[in-house]
Amino acid sequence: MLDLKRQYRPLHTELLEALGHVLETQQFILGEPVAAFERAAEERLGVAHAVGCSSGTDSLWLAQAAAGIGSGMSVVTTPFSFFASVSSILRAGATAVLADIDPTTFNLSPVAVEAVLDGPRGKDVRAILPVHLYGQTADFTSFVRIGKERGLKLIEDAAQAWGAEWQGVKAGALGDAAAFSFYPTKNLSAAGDAGLVTTNSDEIAERARMLRQHGMRRRYYHDEIGWNTRLDGFQGAILNVKLKYIAGWNDARRQVAERYHTLFAAAGLVEAGPYPTRGVVLPHEVSGSRHVWHQFVIRTPRRDALREFLSARKIGSEIYYPVPLHLQEALKSLGYGLGAFPEAERAAHEVLALPIFPELREDEQQTVVAAIAEFLS
Ligand SMILES: Cc1ncc(COP(=O)(O)O)c(C=O)c1O
């Protein structure tokens, strides 16, 4: 599914040098290696502020807390994402309100969000939290319009989308604040847990810096109850090295995705979407968006049988995500039942992520597509 060693081997010496520098300077928490990464990240994303923290999950909480989201408020997000998209809202003290996804992109549907905002759960909503799922940005033309019309903050879950763009603007610079994850499987990855909040707002950035260090502006003077979610020096140093290569890696991912499209078409397996009947519905890059293909996710009706067939042939695949968030045991208290979000529920039964990473070879992709063709025949 993913061979991280292919990325690591050519960077071995450069990464060890960067880690050695952290040991020499003993700047283990924040400090110069993290500040250097933050400044470089700001430049790459075209955003005024980048604030490093301990994980993508923490960055989601920190972005919301710094943007003033808290108790008595609600935030609308998608039921078809990683758990942290919703749990971070609860952790910020707010109520999570869900709206269904668009079946073509799997991203939060602006139409569904507007319907929710007009309904009984829309009353206390103060922010929308779209997720750029699988590496493709959500429809920010619509979300910016909705946000302006209704006075709502926009918080991006950009955990899967380093380098993705909407109408030429990078993920991370589209909303009031954004959250990135550098979990090792992400397209820009640390060697452990790490995250980042980005924003163009001086005020949100200042609050995020204060909240990531127990609410301190001055050492041992606590203005608010924050938390410890600092980025460590080793992770900052590793990320700073990898920043030099990420644009090339994302280009390579785009080539891998294009090759999948060509191979599936040549095998005659492609069905028009959004719903599959016999074959494979391929992922779709929306016009005006630049997908970074964190995942290459197909839809197919006999998904579980296909997955078993592939794993018997030692071909990796993954389901992101098998259970929509409103049906998770831990989120029962949100008060949604089966049938609440039909698009998310259907997607959870049909999606299958195939191997994709910059170094994936064409012959390996041919093997994947040939195995799927064999299964479908
Ligand atoms: C969409 C999404 N949001 C949030 C997270 C949380 O990031 P982390 O695992 O770094 O806490 C992830 C990654 O796992 C994710 O994919």
Side-chain angles (χ1 to χ4, degrees):
M1 186 64 186
L2 174 63
D3 183 357
L4 285 169
K5 285 187 185 149
R6 292 189 205 177
Q7 181 192 84
Y8 161 67
R9 282 197 193 103
L11 297 185
H12 173 86
T13 310
E14 205 177 347
L15 290 173
L16 281 189
E17 265 172 31
L19 294 176
H21 178 72
V22 177
L23 284 169
E24 287 299 331
T25 58
Q26 299 278 300
Q27 299 209 36
F28 296 127
I29 306 282
L30 299 175
E32 180 253 313
V34 168
F37 167 62
E38 290 174 336
R39 298 302 79 77
E42 288 160 2
E43 198 185 313
R44 296 275 167 153
L45 297 175
V47 73
H49 303 283
V51 181
C53 63
S54 313
S55 71
T57 302
D58 270 357
S59 69
L60 276 168
W61 162 74
L62 189 58
Q64 292 175 78
I69 303 299
S71 84
M73 305 175 194
S74 302
V75 177
V76 190
T77 193
T78 164
F80 196 58
S81 182
F82 180 63
F83 185 69
S85 306
V86 165
S87 66
S88 63
I89 297 172
L90 307 177
R91 171 82 173 69
T95 300
V97 173
L98 304 179
D100 213 348
I101 56 167
D102 173 306
T104 305
T105 62
F106 306 103
N107 275 329
L108 184 62
S109 156
V111 176
V113 167
E114 290 207 273
V116 165
L117 292 173
D118 289 335
R121 292 190 192 240
K123 193 166 58 72
D124 298 319
V125 170
R126 297 287 176 273
I128 309 172
L129 195 156
V131 179
H132 304 318
L133 200 68
Y134 306 147
Q136 174 155 248
T137 53
D139 171 359
F140 259 71
T141 306
S142 299
F143 288 123
V144 166
R145 175 186 55 76
I146 297 168
K148 277 208 180 107
E149 282 171 8
R150 302 183 185 240
L152 305 177
K153 291 242 158 66
L154 301 178
I155 312 287
E156 301 168 62
D157 182 339
Q160 303 185 1
W162 184 280
E165 292 175 18
W166 181 259
Q167 311 290 353
V169 179
K170 288 240 157 59
L174 291 162
D176 293 281
F180 286 94
S181 163
F182 305 121
Y183 183 78
T185 60
K186 297 295 191 252
N187 63 331
L188 177 61
S189 62
D193 275 313
L196 188 77
V197 172
T198 57
T199 179
N200 279 315
S201 155
D202 297 348
E203 191 190 333
I204 292 176
E206 196 274 331
R207 278 183 58 76
R209 289 197 185 95
M210 176 265 293
L211 289 169
R212 79 174 163 180
Q213 297 218 71
H214 285 297
M216 286 189 284
R217 289 189 169 88
R218 244 196 321 158
R219 207 166 167 75
Y220 303 129
Y221 290 77
H222 301 269
D223 302 336
E224 281 183 55
I225 297 178
W227 207 245
N228 168 11
T229 177
R230 301 172 295 229
L231 181 58
D232 83 65
F234 288 124
Q235 302 308 338
I238 291 222
L239 286 163
N240 215 6
V241 170
K242 290 196 179 183
L243 256 194
K244 289 192 245 166
Y245 301 98
I246 181 65
W249 290 333
N250 281 343
D251 287 345
R253 281 176 184 272
R254 289 178 61 81
Q255 275 168 20
V256 172
E258 207 177 299
R259 241 161 29 208
Y260 267 134
H261 275 93
T262 308
L263 290 169
F264 275 112
L269 301 176
V270 183
E271 266 192 80
Y275 310 114
T277 56
R278 298 171 322 277
V280 168
V281 173
L282 295 180
H284 172 70
E285 183 176 36
V286 174
S287 143
S289 106
R290 190 169 197 277
H291 204 316
V292 291
W293 300 101
H294 175 58
Q295 299 297 344
F296 189 91
V297 176
I298 61 169
R299 282 185 98 136
T300 182
R302 289 162 53 222
R303 190 266 318 272
D304 292 337
L306 172 59
R307 187 160 190 233
E308 270 178 38
F309 184 88
L310 293 177
S311 54
R313 279 153 188 76
K314 301 215 176 322
I315 295 173
S317 65
E318 194 47 88
I319 301 168
Y320 305 109
Y321 295 90
V323 182
L325 296 174
H326 64 291
L327 301 178
Q328 294 285 353
E329 189 63 30
L331 297 174
K332 267 188 181 160
S333 61
L334 298 185
Y336 297 105
L338 189 65
F341 304 106
E343 296 296 354
E345 290 170 22
R346 181 164 186 171
H349 286 292
E350 293 178 347
V351 293
L352 189 65
L354 302 180
I356 190 164
F357 52 96
E359 303 82 6
L360 188 67
R361 297 190 312 266
E362 182 161 4
D363 63 296
E364 293 172 314
Q365 290 187 265
Q366 282 165 349
T367 305
V368 174
V369 176
I372 295 173
E374 191 189 335
F375 173 81
L376 290 173
S377 69

